[in-house]
Amino acid sequence: MDEFALIKRYFSDIGAIPELPALAQAIQEGIGNDCAILRIPPQFDLCLSIDTLVSGIHFLPDAPADRLAYRALAVNLSDLAAMGAQPLCFTLALTLPESNELWLQAFSRGLDRAARQYAIRLVGGDTTRGPLSITIQVQGVVTAGQGLRRSGAQKGDLICVTGVLGDANAALGILGKGNPAEWESYFLSRYYEPSPRLREGLALSGLATACIDVSDGLLADLAHILESSGCGAVIRDDAIPLSEALRGTAINPLTHALEGGDDYELCFTISESNLALLRDREPTLRFTEIGSIVSTPGLRRLNHRGEIMCINPVGYKHF
Ligand code: ADP
Ligand code: MG
């Protein structure tokens, strides 16, 4: 199959669902021209984010292609969520060692599954031959001026996280092993199918003072907020939300939750009064208060024995 037949067969209809949100009317042209064309309504700011997954660095070469595709889109959508943006469309740059139809079928299936779930259409891309790598760029919109940032945290704000932490990191020890036990399947799904917190991000815009998605680990990502905002934080070990599965199986669940990445939950800071407003407006959203912002720089943990520990966050760094 040549390059153009491949694009038509596997990528022309990704996320092209009838029930796309009204926002999708901004897409004037999708795949098939030299560029996609978007007409962004004037009340919006456009948000862009791009992520690359390289075989052997971000995933094992024999990782299941459908789950890999799902994850590749989901982690990009998580960046939109962290800014309070709504998804609009995405592009895909795919480098493949060979035209393997089975792999492409599975990849395209997984990509479409995520695209439909989050109502986002694929509008273009690039297909090249080389070592396997997957790059996705997402485009989303926020109401003009309302995009969440890392820089607005203030002394007295509460620190919250959505969902539970550490599960995706617990999956790393299981990846690539055949026939996972049932409880292992749970961790694998938390790794391969993270839930971008788009609904939460949208609800937070205009209320939260700062927000980030937890991709490198809670401590490392919270440290980014502190650095951008010029303040410090105290978090409580006993408040960190953990799943039953992690509590029941990990030797040190808290280490997975604090230092492990790949959760794609949101960590945000918010004033007490806005937190009350948020709970009022969105009673079904699941998030946990884990600490507060202080003026003294640095990140401190209050441990189970009531001792304060200063910490030096170490997240994953490529360089
Ligand atoms: P050009 O050489 O002008 O950049 P291409 O031949 O690379 O165009 O691509 C033809 C069309 O197919 C373009 O609309 C491009 O966006 C789209 N396309 C190419 N590869 C992909 C892909 N992997 N996923 C989605 N669209 C793709
Ligand atoms: Mg061209």
Side-chain angles (χ1 to χ4, degrees):
M1 191 175 6
D2 74 15
E3 183 187 327
F4 299 106
L6 183 157
I7 294 165
K8 194 163 178 353
R9 160 100 50 106
Y10 295 112
F11 298 115
S12 58
D13 289 328
I14 302 285
I17 47 175
E19 65 274 24
L20 277 177
L23 195 58
Q25 285 171 12
I27 304 168
Q28 306 284 303
E29 289 292 340
I31 292 173
N33 287 280
D34 290 305
C35 291
I37 302 181
L38 309 177
R39 187 173 300 160
I40 308 298
Q43 71 271 29
F44 290 126
D45 289 341
L46 182 63
C47 300
L48 309 177
S49 179
I50 189 164
D51 270 303
T52 296
L53 300 180
V54 178
S55 176
I57 306 283
H58 300 96
F59 59 89
L60 299 170
D62 60 352
D66 55 342
R67 301 191 97 175
L68 201 55
Y70 188 101
R71 183 170 187 274
L73 181 54
V75 304
N76 269 279
L77 287 168
S78 174
D79 284 323
L80 289 182
M83 304 293 289
Q86 306 173 64
L88 172 57
C89 58
F90 71 106
T91 53
L92 165 71
L94 196 56
T95 304
L96 301 167
E98 56 182 339
S99 157
N100 176 338
E101 293 240 14
L102 272 182
W103 193 91
L104 277 162
Q105 261 170 28
F107 185 85
S108 151
R109 193 180 342 113
L111 194 62
D112 195 50
R113 189 158 55 91
R116 281 165 191 270
Q117 183 167 351
Y118 295 101
I120 185 167
R121 205 176 119 191
L122 178 61
V123 296
D126 195 26
T127 308
T128 52
R129 187 188 288 265
L132 179 59
S133 116
I134 305 157
T135 297
I136 287 180
Q137 191 202 42
V138 284
Q139 287 92 33
V141 296
V142 285
T143 301
Q146 296 281 298
L148 296 167
R149 291 157 169 82
R150 297 176 179 183
S151 55
Q154 282 173 10
K155 179 184 165 204
D157 283 348
L158 300 171
I159 303 167
C160 300
V161 292
T162 61
V164 291
L165 297 172
D167 289 343
N169 184 253
L172 294 186
I174 311 164
L175 286 180
K177 294 188 185 153
N179 297 324
E182 199 176 314
W183 62 272
E184 291 177 323
S185 299
Y186 166 78
F187 291 127
L188 286 176
S189 72
R190 294 275 295 155
Y191 173 80
Y192 277 123
E193 282 110 32
S195 307
R197 300 301 184 189
L198 290 158
R199 206 159 67 85
E200 288 79 354
L202 191 60
L204 288 172
S205 82
L207 292 182
T209 49
C211 188
I212 192 167
D213 69 328
V214 181
S215 54
D216 293 338
L218 178 68
L219 298 183
D221 288 313
L222 176 56
H224 291 312
I225 289 187
L226 301 181
E227 197 188 3
S228 298
S229 302
C231 51
V234 180
I235 58 171
R236 298 186 312 274
D237 282 0
D238 63 3
I240 306 298
L242 307 170
S243 69
E244 286 302 318
L246 192 68
R247 278 182 203 278
T249 55
I251 294 167
N252 198 344
L254 206 55
T255 306
H256 290 289
L258 295 177
E259 291 169 24
D262 299 311
D263 287 313
Y264 298 98
E265 296 295 344
L266 298 183
C267 172
F268 60 94
T269 61
I270 189 166
S271 69
E272 221 165 304
S273 54
N274 279 356
L275 183 63
L277 245 165
L278 178 67
R279 288 215 161 98
D280 229 38
R281 274 191 209 167
E282 304 276 352
T284 60
L285 292 189
R286 185 161 171 229
F287 53 86
T288 309
E289 196 190 313
I290 60 163
S292 51
I293 296 291
V294 296
S295 48
T296 316
L299 180 44
R300 279 170 292 274
R301 272 168 68 182
L302 186 60
N303 73 13
H304 297 294
R305 290 186 296 276
E307 303 154 348
I308 288 269
M309 308 186 302
C310 288
I311 39 186
N312 205 355
V314 277
Y316 183 80
K317 292 197 178 85
H318 285 276
F319 299 102

